[in-house]
Amino acid sequence: MSETLPHHLSDGLHAAGQAPATIPIHILREADLDAALEAAGPATAALAAAHEFKAAAGQVLVVPGEGGIGRVLCGLGSGSSPMALRALPGKLPAGDYRFEALAGLDPELATLAWSLGRYGFDRYRSDRKADRRPSLAAPEGVEVEAVRRIAHACALARDMVNTPANDMGPRQIETIAREIAEEHGATITVVAGEALLDEGYPAIHAVGRAAAPGREPRMIEISWNGAGADAPVLALVGKGVVFDTGGLDIKPSAGMRTMKKDMGGAAHALALARMVMGARLPVRLTVLLPVVENAISGDAMRPGDVLASRKGLSIEVGNTDAEGRLILADALARAGELAPDLTIDLATLTGAARVALGPEVIPFFTADDALAASLSVASGRTFDPLWRLPLWAGYGESLNSEVADLANDPAAWAQAGAITAALFLQRFAPQSGSWVHLDVFAWNARGRPGWPAGAEAQSIRALFRVLQDRYGGAA
C-alpha cells in the first residue's frame, strides 16, 4: 500500500520452524486450572495466587524461568472462543512465543486471534516507538499466508475507519481502491462529480454535491475475474460516507463525533474483496463503492426534495441524515444490472441496529433462508457474531410517500429503524440471485485487551467463510 495508510505488514507471525527459540504459551480453561497448577508445582501456584490468576478469558500470567520468561499461562474462561487470545499480544513483553497447549482450540483460529490482537493505530502519535510487540511461531499445519490475508484485510478496514475525515476523503478511498485493484490485476472505473448525473447515479450526486471542491462524490467500481466468463458474479457494495454531518438535519455534536467511521461499509467491502482476490475464489467479483461526504452548503439537499434514482424510483427526502440508504440505492441498482449470483452490502446504516443488538453483534437481513443458515453457521465457526433480523413486510408501508415512489425516512409508527432501512434497500436490490444486507457498527466504543477503542472489523470473517463454502477456492 502507499502512504495513504500506515503499514501493518510486519505482523510478527512466523511459519512453524522459522522462528528462533520460543517461549511456550499454555491455554487453560477455568475448570483445568487447579490441575495445571498442581502439575506446575508450588512456585507457579503461589505466583498465580499472588496475581489472582483464575484463567478468566484473556487473563495472562507470565511465569519466570532461567534467564527470563519460562512460560506463559493464558486463560480461556469457561467458554471456547479462541478470540480470547486477542488479549495476548498486548499483555506480553517483546519476545518470540509459541502455543504449547491450545486446550482443544483450532490452531488456525488461535493464530488469527493473535494476529488480530496485535493490531494498533498510532499514525498520529508523536511518541511512536519502534515495533517491540511480541511475535508468534504458528503451530504446525497452520497456513500462515491464509491467516495473513484475513488479518491484513481486517487491519486495512480498521486503518481506514480509524483515519479521520481530513485524511480519508473520497479521493483517498479512491486511491486505496486503485492500489488494491492494481495489486490483484483488477480493473477500476470511477465516476465523479457532475459526471454522476450523466452516468445514471443521481442519488449519489444529490447526497454528495454539497461537499467542498476536491471532495466531490464518486462511484467506484472494481472488476476482477478469478475463473473465466462463466463464473458466478459476486457483487460487494459498501457505503462510503466519509463524514456525516447529518446534512441540513444536522446531528448534535455528540452524534457527529465518530462520524469519520460512516465509510465503514466501504472499508469492509474493500477488505472482503481483498480476501476474495487474495484467495483467488472462482468468481467474477464486482466491488461497488458509492463515496460521498454528507456536508452542508447552499447546494445541500433539503428535507422535502424528491430525488431520482438509477432504478427509476423517485425518493422523497424526509430526513437528510438518512443519506446512506440513498447512495446504496444507486449502487444496488448497478449491482442488479450485472445479474449477480450473490450481492452483499455492508453499511454503518442505523443506530437502531445498535439498540436492537448492541455494538458487538451485527444484524443481517436476507430473504434467502439457506443463505441465512450458512451465515449463522459461519458466524459460529469464525467467532464473528452475526444475528438475523427479519425483513418484516408489514413495516413496508412506513416508507410510503404522498409525492414520490417512496420516502427515505419511515413513518414513526413502524419504530424498527434497522428493519425499515433494510426494507428500503430491498426495493433497489438485485432481483437475480441472493441479497444480504449487514448493518455494521465498525467500532469498539470501549477499549479492552485485544479490542482497542476505535475501529473494528466486523462480519467479514464470517462472510469470507460463507464465500469459501459457496464457491470453493483456496483456503
Side-chain angles (χ1 to χ4, degrees):
M1 306 296 287
S2 76
E3 294 305 311
T4 309
L5 287 173
H7 297 269
H8 285 282
L9 299 182
S10 178
D11 56 13
L13 190 62
H14 307 285
Q18 293 184 354
T22 52
I23 300 164
I25 300 173
H26 296 254
I27 311 301
L28 296 171
R29 289 185 171 82
E30 290 173 348
D32 302 325
L33 177 61
D34 290 343
L37 292 179
E38 183 177 353
T44 300
L47 184 69
H51 288 272
E52 298 184 343
F53 179 77
K54 305 293 186 184
Q59 194 175 17
V60 174
L61 180 69
V62 176
V63 180
E66 291 185 13
I69 301 174
R71 58 180 172 155
V72 173
L73 306 183
C74 179
L76 197 60
S78 59
S80 59
S81 173
M83 292 301 120
L85 307 188
R86 286 177 63 153
L88 273 167
K91 292 186 173 184
L92 293 177
D96 296 296
Y97 298 83
R98 73 179 187 277
F99 292 128
E100 182 74 9
L102 272 170
L105 297 180
D106 181 290
E108 188 161 301
L109 283 174
T111 305
L112 177 60
W114 171 283
S115 299
L116 295 174
R118 209 171 179 272
Y119 174 85
F121 185 79
D122 60 1
R123 177 177 181 177
Y124 298 97
R125 297 296 298 259
S126 61
D127 58 352
R128 277 191 297 180
K129 298 180 176 66
D131 188 355
R132 295 289 297 159
R133 292 171 294 173
S135 297
L136 181 73
E140 291 283 351
V142 169
E143 295 186 41
V144 171
E145 288 308 313
V147 172
R148 280 196 176 120
R149 277 198 299 269
I150 296 174
H152 289 178
C154 290
L156 167 70
R158 294 164 83 178
D159 277 349
M160 290 180 70
V161 173
N162 272 325
T163 302
N166 57 313
D167 286 331
M168 189 54 62
R171 184 170 293 168
Q172 285 83 4
I173 291 181
E174 177 185 333
T175 298
I176 293 166
R178 289 188 181 279
E179 291 172 352
I180 291 172
E182 181 179 356
E183 177 186 2
H184 294 284
T187 61
I188 183 169
T189 58
V190 178
V191 180
E194 295 301 306
L196 289 164
L197 296 174
D198 298 330
E199 297 297 326
Y201 298 105
I204 297 173
H205 177 270
V207 174
R209 70 192 184 205
R215 298 176 70 85
E216 295 87 357
R218 58 205 67 199
M219 179 65 180
I220 300 169
E221 182 171 329
I222 298 172
S223 298
W224 176 84
N225 193 327
D230 295 328
V233 174
L234 168 64
L236 303 181
V237 181
K239 173 189 169 185
V241 178
V242 298
F243 193 82
D244 183 15
T245 64
L248 291 176
D249 289 310
I250 191 169
K251 294 177 183 289
S253 59
M256 215 183 295
R257 179 63 181 85
T258 58
M259 281 301 100
K260 68 178 183 178
K261 79 179 186 67
D262 213 20
M263 38 59 69
H268 278 61
L270 280 172
L272 181 56
R274 204 173 176 196
M275 293 184 202
V276 169
M277 292 187 285
R280 298 202 63 81
L281 295 190
V283 296
R284 287 179 288 160
L285 172 68
T286 297
V287 185
L288 300 165
L289 307 177
V291 181
V292 302
E293 180 164 15
N294 190 18
I296 299 173
S297 76
D299 196 27
M301 65 174 176
R302 297 162 289 261
D305 282 359
V306 175
L307 308 183
S309 72
R310 185 176 186 88
K311 192 169 183 178
L313 295 175
S314 58
I315 307 167
E316 181 183 11
V317 179
N319 189 328
T320 63
D321 196 20
E323 84 298 333
R325 66 199 69 186
L326 296 174
I327 64 173
L328 288 171
D330 275 357
L332 286 168
R334 169 59 184 150
E337 296 164 9
L338 305 172
D341 173 68
L342 174 61
T343 302
I344 301 171
D345 82 68
L346 298 123
T348 52
L349 204 61
T350 70
R354 312 287 73 84
V355 173
L357 296 179
E360 297 173 15
V361 182
I362 302 307
F364 69 90
F365 302 81
T366 182
D368 185 332
D369 291 339
L371 176 60
S374 66
L375 281 164
S376 296
V377 169
S379 172
R381 290 170 63 191
T382 59
F383 299 88
D384 196 3
L386 304 176
W387 196 263
R388 187 185 191 183
L389 289 183
L391 286 163
W392 188 253
Y395 298 152
E397 292 181 7
S398 70
L399 298 171
N400 289 347
S401 165
E402 294 183 359
V403 298
D405 292 319
L406 72 168
N408 80 325
D409 64 329
W413 63 262
Q415 300 185 60
I419 295 174
T420 53
L423 289 170
F424 179 96
L425 296 180
Q426 189 179 34
R427 296 283 298 272
F428 299 88
Q431 297 300 301
S432 64
S434 301
W435 163 72
V436 61
H437 158 62
L438 295 99
D439 196 331
V440 300
F441 191 47
W443 197 255
N444 291 318
R446 62 176 179 128
R448 61 198 195 279
W451 285 266
E456 185 55 70
Q458 298 175 317
S459 76
I460 54 177
R461 293 187 294 106
L463 286 167
F464 183 54
R465 178 62 63 91
V466 168
L467 297 178
Q468 288 177 302
D469 292 344
R470 187 180 183 107
Y471 299 115

